[in-house]
Structures are given as C-alpha cells and as structure tokens.
C-alpha cells in the first residue's frame, strides 16, 4: 500500500464520531465500511449522516449530486470480517481502554498485515493501545473533533512504536479528508483536550460554587473571550460521561490535583444527565 492507494477505509463505531468520520471520508471520495455490532446504532448513524448531508445541501455547501454520491459510498456492516480488504481502519468506539484493546485485537485478526489501524481516542495512551497490537508499528492516533464534517483539525498522535511510514500515510489521509493535521506526542489528553477539558471542568466548579448561572458562565466566555460556544454548552455537546472519562485519565496519568474532576460533573454523570445525547445536561434538550 502507498499513500496514494488509501481509497477504502473502515470505521468501527457508528456513534456521533464514527458517523461523522464516515461522512467526511465519503465526501472526500473514499469508499467507507461503517461497522457497528448494533443494527439499531447503524441505522441511527446512517440517519445522522443523511440529515447532515441534507443540511449541507440546503445551505449550498454541496450539490445534490455530491450529497447522493457521498451517501452511496458508505456501506453499513455488522461483521468485522467484512473489513478484511480495507486500507485503513479507524476505531471510534467508546472511550474505554479495555474496550478499545479488545476491538483492536479483533480487527487485527481479520485485516491484512499492511492495514493501518488508527484510534479516534481523545485521551487514552496511543503507546498503550499499540502495545496490545501484533503490529504496533502500524498503529497511530487519529483524533477527530465534533462535528467531524465541519471541524478542520485532526490531531495525529504517534505512539512510541509508530513507524514513520505509518505516520506519513495517515498525515496524507488527513489531508485527503480536507483536514489540517497537527502531529503531537503521546501524552494524556494530547494537546487540544489537555487545554480544553480542564477549562470546562473549571467552569463546572464555578457553577457548583454558585458564582454565576450556566447561561451567565457561557455568556461570559462567548462574549468575553470570543469563544463560539460556552464551556457548559460545549460539555453537553461532548457528553458529560466522555468529559469525566477524559478528566479521570488526566488525574490518573498526571497525578496533579488541578485535574480532579468536579464533584458536580461526577454527580451529573451518576444521575444520567449526560448532555445532548440524554436530553439533559447543564441545559435541557427536546
């Protein structure tokens, strides 16, 4: 496989991130296998992609022909064996180390020796995940941002074992997808989340201490710092369970009290108030 021949990718996980990755790849002209063990999750993922493409078409950002062509390049599958012939597999499963390791080992059992495996993890060590693989030199982090079709950045994270050839091919793939890649060292949270998530966590502390309402905190950051979205609204978009998982990785990996998850964050996750996906977080959603 050469950089020019990455034309067929597999995406494992049909949630918001996996569906977004599949859409971005299809819009870039790649053939995509979108895999999930749940047929219901696949149907939901395909509906998200269809709705997103329709919105882009209504806004004139893609033609009706391009919309239909992109959707036609995505095939939903439920069996890992169907990934056997892809050039690259991007794992976009839940942010849980044990789950990711299990999935990556299962993927390696069915794909070719030249296939590159990438993880969309937002915080888990790429070196640790690579060590669980038979071909760690062909494993890399490829961290997309939500909503994937609209966000321009991909963080490419090299594990200690990642080869230069793997890095070069994934960097080229990122540019094929129309994204701007930045290469970062393997470290808890990498770059963007290392800065972003503690800021959101601090906003939750501020809310819990009663310094201002959620609306006022978000207005302060959007109007005072020119952020496009306030930190609490952004937390709801990310998912409070995902945010808590990332903060726990920081706290455990860096062993510094400044990364301690806000107690209110932990309590809301325990209550099932996870943000947009559950209908309630710091705000309520229809």
């Amino acid at each position: 496989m050469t950089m020019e021949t990455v034309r067929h990718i597999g995406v494992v996980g049909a949630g918001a991130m996996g569906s977004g990755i599949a859409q971005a790849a299809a819009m870039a002209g790649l053939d995509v296998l979108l895999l999930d063990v749940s047929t219901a999750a696949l149907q939901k993922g395909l509906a998200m992609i269809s709705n997103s493409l329709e919105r882009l078409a209504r806004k004139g950002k893609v033609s009706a022909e391009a919309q239909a062509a992109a959707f036609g390049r995505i095939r939903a599958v439920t069996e890992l064996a169907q990934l056997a012939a892809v050039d690259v597999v991007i794992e976009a499963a839940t942010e849980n180390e044990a789950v990711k390791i299990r999935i990556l080992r299962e993927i390696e059992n069915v794909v070719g020796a030249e296939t590159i495996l990438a993880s969309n993890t937002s915080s888990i060590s790429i070196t640790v995940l690579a060590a669980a693989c038979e071909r760690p030199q062909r494993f890399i982090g490829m961290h997309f941002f939500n909503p994937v079709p609209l966000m321009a950045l991909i963080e490419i994270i090299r594990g200690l074992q990642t080869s230069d050839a793997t890095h070069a091919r994934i960097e080229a793939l990122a540019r094929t997808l129309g994204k701007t890649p930045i290469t970062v060292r393997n470290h808890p949270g990498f770059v963007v989340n290392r800065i972003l998530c503690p800021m959101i966590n601090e906003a939750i502390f501020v809310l819990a201490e009663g310094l201002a309402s959620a609306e006022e905190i978000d207005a302060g950051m959007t109007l005072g710092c020119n952020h496009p979205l306030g930190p609490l609204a952004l937390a709801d978009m990310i998912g409070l369970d995902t945010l808590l998982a990332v903060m726990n990785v920081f706290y455990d990996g860096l062993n510094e009290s400044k990364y301690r998850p806000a107690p209110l964050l932990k309590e809301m996750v325990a209550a099932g108030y996870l943000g947009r996906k559950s209908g309630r977080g710091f705000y309520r959603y229809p």
Side-chain angles (χ1 to χ4, degrees):
M1 181 179 66
T2 65
M3 281 188 284
E4 292 73 27
T5 58
V6 178
R7 304 300 304 166
H8 194 185
I9 73 166
V11 179
V12 177
M17 294 303 294
S19 298
I21 294 166
Q23 178 183 332
M27 290 175 66
L30 304 184
D31 293 321
V32 183
L33 291 179
L34 178 60
L35 182 143
D36 203 293
V37 293
S38 165
T39 301
L42 278 172
Q43 291 173 343
K44 184 177 179 181
L46 289 173
M48 284 193 289
I49 294 168
S50 178
N51 292 336
S52 175
L53 287 168
E54 286 177 10
R55 285 195 301 272
L56 291 172
R58 283 198 305 269
K59 294 177 180 178
K61 296 186 182 295
V62 298
S63 67
E65 293 78 11
Q67 172 193 349
F71 194 73
R73 293 189 192 101
I74 301 169
R75 185 158 67 94
V77 297
T78 57
E79 300 293 333
L80 279 170
Q82 293 172 282
L83 300 178
V86 302
D87 302 315
V88 174
V89 178
I90 301 172
E91 170 273 313
T94 186
E95 194 70 359
N96 178 287
E97 183 179 308
V99 170
K100 287 184 182 295
I101 286 174
R102 175 179 58 79
I103 291 171
L104 290 168
R105 284 174 172 165
E106 291 174 351
I107 294 169
E108 267 200 320
N109 286 335
V110 300
V111 299
E114 296 298 305
T115 302
I116 292 174
L117 272 61
S119 177
N120 180 54
T121 180
S122 57
S123 62
I124 298 170
S125 169
I126 298 302
T127 295
V128 168
L129 294 178
C133 297
E134 291 183 10
R135 297 178 288 275
Q137 73 278 7
R138 305 194 70 78
F139 182 79
I140 197 165
M142 201 175 186
H143 180 210
F144 293 78
F145 293 82
N146 191 28
V148 176
L150 302 180
M151 298 295 279
L153 181 70
I154 295 178
E155 279 185 315
I156 297 177
I157 307 100
R158 297 185 65 150
L160 198 60
Q161 313 93 318
T162 305
S163 70
D164 289 343
T166 295
H167 173 260
R169 287 170 177 165
I170 290 301
E171 188 174 56
L173 174 59
R175 297 191 189 280
T176 296
L177 297 178
K179 308 298 186 184
T180 300
I182 60 171
T183 298
V184 305
R185 285 176 50 201
N186 183 62
H187 203 265
F190 316 131
V191 169
V192 175
N193 280 342
R194 172 74 180 274
I195 298 166
L196 175 65
C197 291
M199 182 200 75
I200 297 174
N201 193 54
E202 191 64 25
I204 299 170
F205 272 114
V206 168
L207 178 66
E209 291 166 16
L211 299 185
S213 68
E215 293 81 0
E216 288 166 329
I217 292 167
D218 280 352
M221 295 305 291
T222 56
L223 301 178
C225 297
N226 206 28
H227 289 191
L229 193 65
L232 299 178
L234 181 56
D236 279 354
M237 179 181 290
I238 293 169
L240 303 194
D241 52 341
T242 301
L243 177 63
L244 178 59
V246 172
M247 291 307 301
N248 281 330
V249 167
F250 289 174
Y251 194 43
D252 294 341
L254 298 170
N255 197 29
E256 294 186 37
S257 61
K258 67 180 179 178
Y259 299 114
R260 176 173 66 96
L264 176 59
L265 173 61
K266 296 166 74 173
E267 188 172 10
M268 291 182 71
V269 171
Y273 300 161
L274 307 181
R276 287 180 178 269
K277 62 186 172 185
S278 70
R280 179 174 178 180
F282 295 106
Y283 300 93
R284 291 181 182 267
Y285 303 90

